């Protein structure tokens, strides 16, 4: 033990926060754990919010996790507004100060927006966002999605499945950044086959109207009108509440190789940024699996300091769209060469591996069940 | 308390095994094995943690 950690405060109420709490208990922490979440809900699962929950095949009740254990004080609708590192206190919006010996920052990220807050722009990040969008879909005939990334294409797929006319607008070809050109091309073709219209804007788009947004204007002046417009243009780490402490910045909250931030402070989840071993630059990895792995590493680092295991990122993420269930281990680096190991993408079931300079860097399954351990072996085996 | 896995839902993520290593284990093929369906009281909290980290709700706890 590096120091005596009795009272732990966790800021954030999603998977990283509850996993950190569970891991603290699992590794012997017997002191208090207080979780403060600014959401009105107990923890829920985010991945279905753009898929089954949005479509209506899963109820909103089904997204809630089993409630946190009774020896954890979980406070909803409680916003952390400041951090006093010196006195080890989290400042809450009602003026209360929560003293801590150990702090886990799991304040997550929020949807990036194109317009001002009062524009009533629809996004998908929280349960309330997804409920608003689901309500907007009812009776709507058309949708424009701004952003052809992961989330934007999942929303587009869900909406198309509900029978809406769907247009996706982006500056770049959809999905290439996350899935590489090879897989992105097949996914995009699947979208077009389903009747989705893809529009490229040579620059930033502009939202037209407000409350609700009624159209999108592309950089070359094309006006895309729709009953519903939704933005899926990335996320921003929630670091503003840390401003007075000198911690955090636009890139997120920088952690070391054990998810530590400062004495008595660790972090996990979408708020975290790490220096990439490959590029030497800070990088966030806002995925479910990263949140869990980081939360476990952070909890151990808080309790054991340098004795805690080093966190080794093992990227893993998935998507479901256009009837394609895709799971990926590793990073599809630009220039990586894909090889179909079995099946065929044209037949919509395949196992794909990417190599870079002759070394495997990533592997993916498409409508092909394979335990993650095996997929990871493929992604890293030499 | 009993813990069971719905094999039709389980996709082999493996997040659960680390939360409750006395109850759940991944075999060499990465498939989830339930070591003990019976959850003793001192393992209950870990079992609940295992259920929480499953993104596809494949684990069930029954009293």
């Amino acid at each position: 033990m590096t120091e005596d950690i009795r009272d732990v405060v966790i800021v954030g109420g999603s998977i990283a926060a509850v996993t950190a709490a569970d891991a603290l208990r699992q590794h012997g922490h017997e002191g208090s754990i207080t979780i403060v979440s600014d959401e009105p809900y107990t923890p829920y699962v985010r991945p279905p919010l753009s898929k089954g929950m949005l479509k209506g095949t899963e109820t909103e009740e089904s997204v809630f996790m089993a409630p946190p254990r009774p020896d954890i004080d979980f406070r909803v609708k409680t916003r952390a507004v400041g951090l006093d590192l010196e006195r080890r206190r989290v400042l809450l919006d009602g003026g209360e100060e929560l003293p801590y010996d150990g702090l886990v920052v799991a304040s997550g990220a929020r949807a990036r927006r194109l317009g001002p807050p009062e524009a009533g722009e629809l996004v998908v990040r929280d349960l309330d966002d997804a409920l608003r969008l689901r309500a907007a879909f009812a009776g709507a005939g058309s949708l424009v999605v701004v952003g052809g990334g992961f989330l934007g294409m999942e929303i587009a797929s869900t909406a198309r499945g509900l029978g809406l006319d769907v247009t996706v607008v982006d500056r770049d070809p959809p999905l290439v950044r996350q899935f590489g050109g090879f897989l992105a091309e097949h996914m995009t073709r699947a979208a077009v086959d389903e009747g989705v219209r893809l529009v490229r804007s040579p620059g930033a788009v502009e939202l037209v109207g407000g409350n609700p947004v009624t159209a999108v204007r592309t950089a070359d002046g094309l006006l895309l009108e729709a009953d519903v417009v939704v933005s899926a243009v990335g996320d921003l780490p929630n670091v503003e509440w840390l401003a007075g402490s000198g911690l955090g910045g636009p890139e997120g909250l920088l952690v070391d190789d054990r998810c530590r931030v400062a004495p008595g402070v660790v972090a996990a989840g979408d708020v975290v940024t790490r220096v990439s071993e490959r590029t030497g630059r800070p990088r966030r990895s806002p995925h479910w699996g990263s949140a869990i792995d980081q939360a476990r590493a952070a909890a151990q680092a808080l309790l054991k300091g340098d004795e805690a295991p080093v966190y080794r990122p093992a990227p893993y993420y998935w998507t479901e769209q256009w009837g394609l269930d895709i799971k990926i281990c590793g990073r599809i680096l630009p220039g990586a060469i894909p090889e179909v190991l079995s099946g065929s993408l044209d037949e919509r079931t395949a196992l794909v591996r990417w190599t870079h300079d002759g070394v495997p860097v990533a592997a993916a399954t498409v409508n092909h069940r394979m335990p993650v351990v095996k997929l990871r072996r493929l992604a890293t085996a030499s | 308390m009993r813990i069971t896995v719905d094999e039709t839902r389980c996709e082999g993520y493996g997040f659960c095994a680390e939360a409750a290593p006395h109850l759940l284990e991944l075999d060499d093929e990465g498939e989830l094995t339930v070591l003990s369906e019976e959850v003793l009281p001192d393992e209950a909290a870990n079992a609940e943690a295992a259920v929480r980290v499953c993104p596809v709700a494949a684990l069930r706890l029954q009293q």
Side-chain angles (χ1 to χ4, degrees):
Chain A
M1 296 267 173
T2 48
E3 54 182 322
D4 190 21
I5 301 281
R6 293 181 311 273
D7 298 325
V8 173
V9 171
I10 302 176
V11 175
S14 199
I15 185 67
V18 290
T19 303
D22 282 333
L24 284 165
R25 289 282 183 245
Q26 190 184 1
H27 291 281
H29 175 66
E30 291 177 347
S32 76
I33 300 178
T34 305
I35 302 182
V36 293
S37 169
D38 60 3
E39 287 204 62
Y41 305 111
T42 58
Y44 55 89
V45 182
R46 291 184 196 277
L49 298 185
S50 52
K51 309 180 192 93
M53 217 292 296
L54 186 57
K55 192 167 185 180
T57 50
E58 288 176 51
T59 63
E60 58 194 86
E61 290 77 25
S62 73
V63 303
F64 285 94
M65 295 179 207
R69 43 180 106 199
D71 57 359
I72 288 166
D73 178 12
F74 191 100
R75 304 193 190 174
V76 295
K77 297 186 201 167
T78 307
R79 180 183 292 270
V81 294
L83 171 63
D84 185 336
L85 273 180
E86 204 58 29
R87 292 166 59 233
R88 296 204 179 193
R89 279 168 162 70
V90 172
L91 318 177
L92 304 180
D93 57 356
E96 189 187 348
E97 297 188 354
L98 279 182
Y100 65 81
D101 302 305
L103 170 66
V104 182
V105 178
S107 47
R110 63 186 180 279
R112 191 166 82 82
R113 289 167 190 272
L114 298 171
E118 62 274 13
E121 186 176 358
L122 293 170
V123 295
V124 176
R125 174 75 202 180
D126 299 334
L127 178 55
D128 283 342
D129 295 329
L131 292 172
R132 263 191 293 271
L133 187 60
R134 192 172 74 179
F137 280 175
S142 58
L143 169 72
V144 169
V145 182
V146 181
F150 234 93
L151 181 65
M153 291 296 265
E154 287 179 358
I155 296 166
S157 174
T158 299
R160 192 72 200 103
L162 289 168
L164 278 75
D165 286 328
V166 177
T167 303
V168 177
V169 57
D170 200 328
R171 279 197 254 199
D172 302 310
L175 302 165
V176 172
R177 199 165 48 83
Q178 301 90 346
F179 295 92
F182 178 72
L183 210 47
E185 193 190 311
H186 279 271
M187 295 163 81
T188 305
R189 194 182 308 153
V192 171
D193 286 348
E194 299 263 344
V196 171
R197 179 183 176 208
L198 301 174
V199 175
R200 293 277 289 278
S201 173
V205 301
E206 180 198 341
L207 301 181
V208 179
N211 274 320
V213 176
T214 53
V216 175
R217 198 187 323 271
T218 67
D220 48 0
L222 184 64
L223 189 68
L224 305 168
E225 294 182 296
D227 298 334
V228 182
V229 175
V230 62
S231 301
V233 290
D235 61 346
L236 300 171
N238 291 325
V239 292
E240 289 73 13
W241 69 281
L242 295 165
S245 71
L247 299 178
E251 305 269 12
L253 183 57
L254 190 66
V255 299
D256 74 0
D257 59 1
R258 288 181 174 82
C259 292
R260 293 177 294 192
V261 178
V265 182
V266 296
D270 291 0
V271 74
V272 161
T273 187
R274 299 177 71 256
V275 174
S276 159
E277 283 176 23
R278 191 173 58 82
T279 62
R281 297 177 49 159
R283 189 179 194 287
R284 290 194 303 127
S285 177
H287 299 290
W288 180 268
S290 306
I292 291 174
D293 292 344
Q294 290 169 0
R296 288 170 171 167
Q300 292 193 66
L302 204 53
L303 298 177
K304 301 175 193 166
D306 288 340
E307 307 294 308
V310 167
Y311 165 63
R312 301 200 185 283
Y316 177 70
Y317 51 99
W318 65 89
T319 187
E320 291 166 44
Q321 44 185 286
W322 326 113
L324 301 171
D325 178 348
I326 298 175
K327 298 184 165 65
I328 294 173
C329 282
R331 287 232 156 78
I332 304 169
L333 304 174
I337 298 163
E339 179 191 2
V340 177
L341 299 181
S342 74
S344 136
L345 283 176
D346 289 335
E347 286 161 27
R348 297 169 75 87
T349 169
L351 177 61
V352 185
R353 174 161 71 175
W354 286 260
T355 53
H356 192 261
D357 294 333
V359 179
V361 290
T365 55
V366 179
N367 293 342
H368 174 107
R369 186 185 177 282
M370 175 179 275
V372 179
V373 172
K374 280 180 90 171
L375 190 62
R376 183 162 289 140
R377 270 182 219 146
L378 274 177
T380 54
S382 46
Chain B
M1 193 184 262
R2 297 179 73 75
I3 190 163
T4 51
V5 57
D6 180 342
E7 286 171 13
T8 61
R9 291 188 74 106
C10 177
E11 306 215 23
Y13 294 98
F15 297 126
C16 58
E18 198 173 323
H22 299 299
L23 302 172
L24 304 166
E25 185 181 72
L26 293 180
D27 68 17
D28 287 346
E29 295 292 297
E31 297 287 359
L32 186 64
T33 308
V34 180
L35 298 172
S36 165
E37 281 203 357
E38 189 185 354
V39 180
L40 297 174
D42 63 349
E43 278 290 326
N46 287 343
E48 285 168 3
V51 172
R52 267 193 286 278
V53 289
C54 177
V56 290
L59 287 168
R60 276 282 127 78
L61 267 182
Q62 286 150 324
Q63 287 298 335

